[in-house]
Amino acid sequence: MVRSLFVPKQFGTSADTFLMLGLAQLTEAVLININSKTEILLKDAGTHYQL
């Protein structure tokens, strides 16, 4: 099972943030679909985001 996703900050703009938020929403939809109670934590780790 995947425990973390790393999203590099490639552009240095809000596009990086929107990409991370889109992946978080996709992850949430999958977790709901499989009836998982796993919590999603979003972290700004400097050069990348961690989900």
Side-chain angles (χ1 to χ4, degrees):
M1 175 182 276
V2 175
R3 310 275 279 151
S4 291
L5 295 175
F6 297 93
V7 181
K9 293 182 181 179
Q10 293 180 308
F11 305 107
T13 66
S14 58
D16 297 323
T17 305
F18 291 133
L19 175 60
M20 184 267 308
L21 290 174
L23 285 173
Q25 288 180 325
L26 179 62
T27 301
E28 179 184 40
V30 169
L31 291 173
I32 289 170
N33 192 34
I34 63 171
N35 296 318
S36 175
K37 302 295 182 192
T38 303
E39 185 178 62
I40 299 174
L41 176 67
L42 307 177
K43 179 181 176 184
D44 184 342
T47 60
H48 63 278
Y49 293 108
Q50 184 176 353
L51 196 67

